[in-house]
Every structure is written in C-alpha cells, then in structure tokens.
Amino acid sequence: MHIEIGHIQRRIVDFIRKVFRFLFGHDRAGAISKVVPMVSHVDHTEHDSQIFITEQGVADTRGMGPIERAREIITHCEHPAYRPLLEAYVEHALAGGGHGPVDLAHAFTLALRFHVHTAGSVLTAQQDDDNIIRVAWQAMSAILVGTQSLALCAKDEAESIPTRASATLALRTQQLLAFESGIADTIDPLGGSYYVETLTDQIEREAREYIHKIDEMGGAVAAIEQGYMQQEMATHAFEYEQEIESGKRTVIGVNKYVIEDEEHHTQLLQVDPAVGDRQMAKLKKLKETRDNAAVEKALANVRKVARSEENIMPCLIEAVKTYATLGEICGVLREEFGEYHQDHPAF
C-alpha cells in the first residue's frame, strides 16, 4: 500500500507543530518549513509515522519517545536558527532537569510562556503624547516575537497613576494591534530575517554568558547577596542616562526637538483622600467580623512552616481564606526572615 508524500508531509508538520507548541507555546515556522519531501511515495507500515524525510536525509525515529523524536527531526532539518535552544530544552526534558526522564505529557512544563509589559522607564513627561507611539511600537515588537500575554503602559505613567482615559487608550492600542493591524495573523512574521536571527544568536550567546557567570558565583541567591544583580542594573541605568545627557541616545522632546516653555495640558489623576478613609473603615470592619481565632491559628501555621523546609504556599492560601490580611501575613514572615538590606553599594 502506498501513501502520497503530501499526506506524510502533513503528518510530519502536524507532529512537529505539536512538539513546538509543547516546548515553546507556539510554532516556529522557520524550522517547520524546512521539512520537505524527497521521494514521491513511501511504503505504508506500522512505523510510517516514525520515519521522516527531510532535506538532510532520513530521520528514523522508531523506538524513540516523542521528545527524542522531536530532537532527531530537528537535527535533520537544514535550518539551524532554532536548533540550540530547542536542543537545550529537549535535553533538559530528557534528563528531567536532574530529576529523571520525563515524557511528553510533562514536557508542557518547559513551554516558553512569557508576558511582556511595555517599559515605563522610557516614557517622558515632556511631550507626553509621544508616549502613545512609544508604547505602540513596543507592543508591536512583543507581538512579532510571539508573546502570549501583553500589558501596555499609559501615556501619563511617567508622572502618575493612569487616568481612566489614558488607561483606556492603552487598551485600545493593544486591541488595534490585535484586531486591525494583521500582525497577529502570522505565526512568525519575521522568520528567516538575517538581521533578526543575528540578534537572536547574540541574545542567546550573551544570556548563556550571564547564566555561566551567575552559576560560577553559586547561583542567583548568591549573586544577589554579592550585589552582582543590583550592580548590573544600576550600571545599565547610569550608562543609559549618560547616553541621553550626552546626546548619544536620542529621546524626542528631551534632548532633541524640544519645545521651549512647553505647556502641560495632560490631566493627571487626582486621588480623593477619602479613598484612604474608606479603605481603613473596611479593614476595621473586616477584623471585627472575621473569625479571629481561625486567623491566629492560620498565622501560627505560617510561622511554623516558615521555620521548616516545607512548601509555604499552601499555608499562605489557607491564611488568606481566613481573611488574614497581607500586612499580617508579611508581618509574620518579616519576624521570621527579617528584612533585606543591601550590603554592597551600587557603585
């Protein structure tokens, strides 16, 4: 019995798409497009769905698990752009992250799900309508690289909490990009771009260098205790500000195309002081009407677990269910763990 190669190819592509969705949360068209037929037909056997024909030869995956099969297929794909990170994820999955092998059902935990929030740090008080455009292209960039979740700054966040009007405008910006621009209609609209792939390689290389350096310090906690993380962020912030002040980095309205004696017309949010009074009254009523014995018991359990090696999350959830407040819960943790104070200066 023979099966047309188009049918086999569709099965190959469908399989790889499923694996990529598990590992990355979306397809990577650049890798998938390189799986192409090399013969006109194949004999149908019970293993026909485990033998894949690619530009680089035949990938025989009989006897392999789904993740191993994915690795073998990608190894035989011509396009190298997505191999390194995929292989790293697959190897991690096969090794179980040091906790034993896992199967495809557990590989979902390796999915590269990420949220993007546009950068409030680049918003300006000067000519703040320009912030609408800044936020729009930041959001567009996030969508182009496949973010699963997105939140946008409002134009007035350089100066205050957003007003209802500015927050609505930020929401509409996101909705316009999603439903009118068309950029969300394609899985990987920048796939195959030499420039983008070069930047991707650069980010991966520099990320690995950071991870290696932090590992040598003893891990993330040790790096924080040594002040490394804070130093890196502070240094970047200082250099960024220096570039603006020197004119090396252009910020419209700040160091270029400045409007002298600019009048500020944006209506900033004015918080009614009565809001605080109402909130304190609600908190007072809550403490009077809740089961305070249950609260004390739950907080005592939080303290007990905090002193142990147990997972603290379940007891935090139980404390919240008794209507223990965030301040009360944090107060217990503060007494047990103390407060963090940076011992190392940023510069």
Side-chain angles (χ1 to χ4, degrees), residues 11-12 45-53 58-64 69 72-73:
R11 292 176 65 173
I12 295 170
T45 71
E46 61 179 323
H47 299 298
D48 78 292
S49 63
Q50 298 176 20
I51 302 176
F52 300 97
I53 305 165
V58 176
D60 188 344
T61 67
R62 287 175 291 184
M64 294 184 181
R69 190 176 303 159
E72 184 70 12
I73 295 167

Side-chain angles (χ1 to χ4, degrees), residues 285-340:
K285 183 178 179 180
L286 171 69
K287 291 183 175 182
E288 291 173 348
T289 56
R290 70 186 181 180
D291 185 345
N292 284 294
V295 172
E296 291 302 320
K297 182 179 178 181
L299 291 175
N301 192 39
V302 170
R303 187 183 303 278
K304 176 185 174 182
V305 174
R307 293 174 177 175
S308 72
E309 297 298 320
E310 295 179 44
N311 181 0
I312 200 171
M313 203 65 203
C315 70
L316 293 180
I317 294 172
E318 290 304 312
V320 171
K321 288 180 178 179
T322 68
Y323 289 95
T325 67
L326 182 61
E328 289 170 330
I329 295 171
C330 288
V332 171
L333 299 178
R334 188 179 297 109
E335 291 171 4
E336 293 303 317
F337 298 123
E339 293 182 326
Y340 174 76

Side-chain angles (χ1 to χ4, degrees), residues 126-127 130 252-254 256-263:
Q126 300 92 328
Q127 302 180 34
D130 297 348
I252 302 300
V254 175
K256 197 167 188 177
Y257 306 116
V258 177
I259 298 176
E260 300 296 340
D261 301 322
E262 177 186 359
E263 295 184 13

Side-chain angles (χ1 to χ4, degrees), residues 81 83-85 88 199-209:
R83 285 182 194 166
L85 285 178
L199 292 178
T200 301
D201 291 342
Q202 179 182 339
I203 290 172
E204 180 192 346
R205 182 175 63 254
E206 294 178 1
R208 288 180 183 276
E209 290 173 0

Side-chain angles (χ1 to χ4, degrees), residues 224 226-239 340-347:
I224 292 172
Q226 295 172 39
Y228 175 71
M229 307 285 202
Q230 303 91 311
Q231 175 70 56
E232 287 294 291
M233 290 185 285
T235 299
H236 173 74
F238 180 69
E239 291 174 349
Y340 174 76
H341 297 282
Q342 184 172 319
D343 297 326
H344 302 272
F347 296 100

Side-chain angles (χ1 to χ4, degrees), residues 211 213-226 228-229:
I211 292 169
K213 184 180 292 186
I214 292 168
D215 283 344
E216 286 187 328
M217 293 180 183
V221 174
I224 292 172
E225 290 173 346
Q226 295 172 39
Y228 175 71
M229 307 285 202

Side-chain angles (χ1 to χ4, degrees), residues 76-108:
H76 282 76
C77 288
E78 178 185 356
H79 200 299
Y82 308 119
R83 285 182 194 166
L85 285 178
L86 173 65
E87 289 173 354
Y89 280 118
V90 171
E91 290 298 338
H92 183 80
L94 290 171
H99 300 287
V102 297
D103 58 27
L104 189 59
H106 297 116
F108 183 74

